[in-house]
Amino acid sequence: METYYYSQFNHAVVHVALFDDVTNAAAIRSRIVQAARNLGVDGNTEREAVNFAFIDARLISSSLHLQTAIYQALLSEAQGQLRTKTVHSEILWTMNPTNNITEAIRRYGVSDESTTLVVVRVDVSDTPDLQRRMCDIVQGCMVPFQALGQMTDWSIIKKHYKLYSESALKEVQGNLDRERSIIDNIVVSSVAMKNVMT
Amino acid sequence: MLSSLSSKPPTQQLLQSADLVSQGAEAAIYKAYLRQFPTSGHGVDDAAFEASEPVLLKHRFHKHYRHPSLDASLTRQRIAGEARALMRCMRSGVTVPGIRMVDVNEGVLGIEWIDGKSVRQLLPGGAELDEINELEEVDEIHENGAADPIGDYGVSGGRTVHMLIGLYSSSVDALMNMIGVEIAKMHLADIIHGDLTTSNMMLRKQTSDLVLIDFGLAYHSTLVEDKAVDLYVLERAFASTHPDSEPLFSEVLNAYEKRMGKRWLPIKKRLDDVRLRGRKRSMVG
Ligand SMILES: Nc1ncnc2c1ncn2[C@@H]1O[C@H](COP(=O)(O)OP(=O)(O)OP(=O)(O)O)[C@@H](O)[C@H]1O
Ligand SMILES: [Mg+2]
């Protein structure tokens, strides 16, 4: 698990963790759906239990990609300009190149087939026990963020960002490392400038 | 949740903690970190202590003589325009800084920090006074025989460029070549920079990439005229900043020509026109 500190956002603390070999993705997804529907008191407890962003790790091109989406979501929240219900869903929205919220959650959120997950939690101050709470929900193996590189599915990312005939990629054809770093740079930059893209 | 406290907006706080790099008429430039290190070590793993990369913040501040709502929309347009030009460059394979943060409400664009020097600082005539010491230090290294194999570069006219540039493992010729190639890639994508000078290009330290910066005046155009003027602006910048720059600039044009292929000829013709216009204007003015 990693922890990011932001003094400019009233000292927000953000915890992020990477899970491999996740076996209960479908169950996590249905828990999130149920919690959103359950409006009673136990609904509150359940909503708090799943109050994280669960992101399919295949769609994340680098730690910087994740950090950039978190930053823009924090900014939108602080300015009262969230397009989605919570800062956590805003992270998913920020990652998707289109403005369609349902599509963002379907593409970037946990799906029934997910086996690798990034879990993010935004708090106003350091909250104890977060690692345990993440592990309570996700059945899988928490791994260091360096492992993200092996999980990224570059072909899906290329499809979402329509990166086929770009001259930037043609120029480095055959050099996989260069190609990936160019894609990452485009993806990170697109996330950062989503508000002014069109 | 985070907006409930009535403190200063986050980006203003970020600017307050940032280091001012330069102050222009349109924008202030800062070096900043988007997040901080933990203040106490307990219960935090090592990864959290990893340094985050610095970013460059370009703050287009309020113009008090403009009506506030007009000012806000102009600022928004400028920032959006610069970000979109950078994105078009990136997709076209032009080496430019990546975008890291955008806050149109506060008028701030955050881009990748390029660790390196501007071409202006690397060429003779361009170094500021406080950089001369640095140049001399490098000369000493060379005199002591500990220099890298590139050493000094003879540029025509007998002038020798003492190689601060040697540290960047690039020769002046190679540098001029890279400039020509990057501008050609940009023009092939129909992007006009609008302010090509040797301070608006940097040589990255680790990789020796040439990086074009400052797309605040960039725009989209297919016109030969706009591309020719873009080149002419750079030619004037070379001439006014760097002594005996003709061979340098022709090296830039050589590389540009190679990359542009058959598109070069009309641009060359127009560049000659533009030069003529420029000369006439300076004779009159
Ligand atoms: N991405 C970057 N990384 C590091 N330094 C940079 C970067 N971008 C710009 N700089 C430095 O800051 C200076 C000013 O930046 P820039 O040209 O983008 O702004 P500007 O408002 O046009 O300023 P100026 O009028 O001085 O050109 C540059 O000349 C360069 O030395
Ligand atoms: Mg500039």
Side-chain angles (χ1 to χ4, degrees):
Chain A
M1 189 170 70
E2 292 190 9
T3 311
Y4 306 143
Y5 296 84
Y6 303 88
S7 65
Q8 68 271 43
F9 295 110
N10 289 321
H11 299 278
V13 182
V14 177
H15 291 91
V16 298
L18 179 62
F19 286 87
D20 199 0
D21 300 318
V22 176
T23 54
N24 66 332
I28 296 171
R29 209 182 59 80
S30 73
R31 255 186 99 169
I32 299 169
V33 175
Q34 291 301 322
R37 284 193 196 133
N38 185 345
L39 298 175
V41 180
D42 53 330
N44 286 339
T45 329
E46 185 59 8
R47 267 193 301 284
E48 178 52 22
V50 294
N51 189 9
F52 297 87
F54 296 93
I55 311 168
D56 196 318
R58 285 175 300 178
L59 286 148
I60 300 184
S61 56
S62 65
S63 300
L64 184 60
H65 179 204
L66 177 66
Q67 288 156 13
T68 307
I70 291 170
Y71 198 91
Q72 290 301 126
L74 286 170
L75 204 52
S76 296
E77 185 183 45
Q79 296 176 334
Q81 293 177 344
L82 286 180
R83 277 118 187 131
T84 62
K85 279 193 193 134
T86 69
V87 69
H88 292 132
S89 50
E90 194 78 0
I91 295 171
L92 300 177
W93 184 84
T94 307
M95 287 181 151
N96 194 35
T98 78
N99 286 329
N100 185 324
I101 295 173
T102 317
E103 182 188 75
I105 289 170
R106 182 167 44 76
R107 283 177 170 180
Y108 289 83
V110 55
S111 73
D112 291 354
E113 294 78 35
S114 304
T115 58
T116 56
L117 281 183
V118 168
V119 183
V120 183
R121 165 80 182 207
V122 177
D123 283 291
V124 277
S125 60
D126 225 336
T127 310
D129 259 5
L130 270 179
Q131 181 150 338
R132 188 189 49 75
R133 289 182 48 196
M134 288 181 180
C135 292
D136 283 349
I137 303 167
V138 182
Q139 279 165 28
C141 185
M142 197 184 275
V143 294
F145 254 86
Q146 289 88 296
L148 187 67
Q150 282 94 61
M151 301 173 180
T152 307
D153 186 332
W154 296 93
S155 63
I156 311 184
I157 293 177
K158 276 162 91 168
K159 196 174 89 190
H160 289 173
Y161 278 89
K162 300 191 166 63
L163 292 165
Y164 303 111
S165 53
E166 307 298 311
S167 23
L169 298 183
K170 275 187 197 149
E171 219 168 289
V172 295
Q173 232 166 35
N175 186 342
L176 218 55
D177 283 348
R178 286 281 294 141
E179 182 185 285
R180 289 176 179 176
S181 98
I182 287 170
I183 295 172
D184 181 47
N185 201 25
I186 292 173
V187 168
V188 169
S189 299
S190 303
V191 170
M193 69 173 290
K194 179 163 185 180
N195 287 337
V196 294
M197 188 71 98
T198 46
Chain B
M1 170 173 63
L2 301 179
S3 55
S4 58
L5 293 175
S6 59
S7 50
K8 264 195 173 176
T11 303
Q12 284 183 25
Q13 290 186 46
L14 183 65
L15 289 173
Q16 230 163 28
S17 67
D19 292 324
L20 185 69
V21 174
S22 83
Q23 172 79 61
E26 290 280 320
I29 309 280
Y30 299 84
K31 182 181 190 177
Y33 293 85
L34 293 182
R35 54 192 165 85
Q36 295 81 34
F37 308 106
T39 41
S40 63
H42 60 271
V44 187
D45 62 303
D46 285 348
F49 288 94
E50 262 176 39
S52 73
E53 293 291 316
V55 295
L56 178 131
L57 301 176
K58 193 167 190 167
H59 181 209
R60 298 193 175 279
F61 37 78
H62 286 298
K63 287 285 167 54
H64 295 291
Y65 54 80
R66 282 201 298 240
H67 187 276
S69 66
L70 173 69
D71 187 61
S73 93
L74 282 177
T75 300
R76 192 193 160 87
Q77 277 170 34
R78 292 293 301 279
I79 288 177
E82 186 160 357
R84 285 175 204 157
L86 285 169
M87 178 53 71
R88 264 206 308 275
C89 282
M90 251 173 263
R91 282 181 173 262
S92 309
V94 185
T95 313
V96 296
I99 303 163
R100 297 291 179 259
M101 188 276 270
V102 178
D103 182 349
V104 279
N105 299 330
E106 296 296 333
V108 173
L109 175 67
I111 61 174
E112 178 189 1
W113 178 263
I114 307 295
D115 188 16
K117 287 232 178 317
S118 74
V119 171
R120 180 194 168 115
Q121 292 170 302
L122 291 169
L123 293 178
E128 311 282 340
L129 273 178
D130 59 336
E131 289 153 9
I132 303 269
N133 290 335
E134 223 176 317
L135 283 164
E136 279 167 359
E137 275 167 34
V138 178
D139 278 349
E140 272 166 34
I141 300 173
H142 287 234
E143 277 156 22
N144 295 342
D148 62 83
I150 299 155
D152 298 341
Y153 287 79
V155 177
S156 77
R159 177 175 296 276
T160 301
V161 180
H162 291 285
M163 285 293 102
L164 181 57
I165 215 175
L167 295 175
Y168 290 74
S169 60
S170 169
S171 73
V172 171
D173 275 0
L175 182 59
M176 295 307 116
N177 230 285
M178 289 192 284
I179 296 172
V181 170
E182 291 309 315
I183 298 173
K185 285 195 277 188
M186 184 179 76
H187 282 179
L188 286 169
D190 294 328
I191 302 155
I192 312 299
H193 185 281
D195 188 20
L196 281 178
T197 63
T198 49
S199 11
N200 285 340
M201 32 189 84
M202 298 184 70
L203 194 61
R204 203 197 282 267
K205 202 178 268 173
Q206 305 92 330
T207 56
S208 299
D209 289 328
L210 183 95
V211 188
L212 298 182
I213 60 167
D214 194 0
F215 284 75
L217 295 171
Y219 59 100
H220 184 267
S221 168
T222 56
L223 297 181
V224 165
E225 165 79 13
D226 291 334
K227 293 171 189 178
V229 169
D230 225 16
L231 293 173
Y232 181 68
V233 166
L234 182 61
E235 184 171 47
R236 298 306 306 156
F238 263 99
S240 64
T241 321
H242 308 291
D244 301 328
S245 64
E246 293 87 354
L248 296 181
F249 189 71
S250 50
E251 202 55 52
V252 171
L253 281 190
N254 275 339
Y256 180 86
E257 171 182 354
K258 266 195 211 116
R259 188 75 183 209
M260 294 300 281
K262 63 178 194 315
R263 285 162 223 256
W264 162 242
L265 204 61
I267 295 174
K268 178 198 167 6
K269 282 187 182 144
R270 190 58 72 102
L271 178 58
D272 288 336
D273 289 352
V274 176
R275 281 168 173 156
L276 205 62
R277 270 189 261 153
R279 219 166 300 144
K280 277 186 191 149
R281 200 177 304 126
S282 67
M283 278 190 308
V284 174

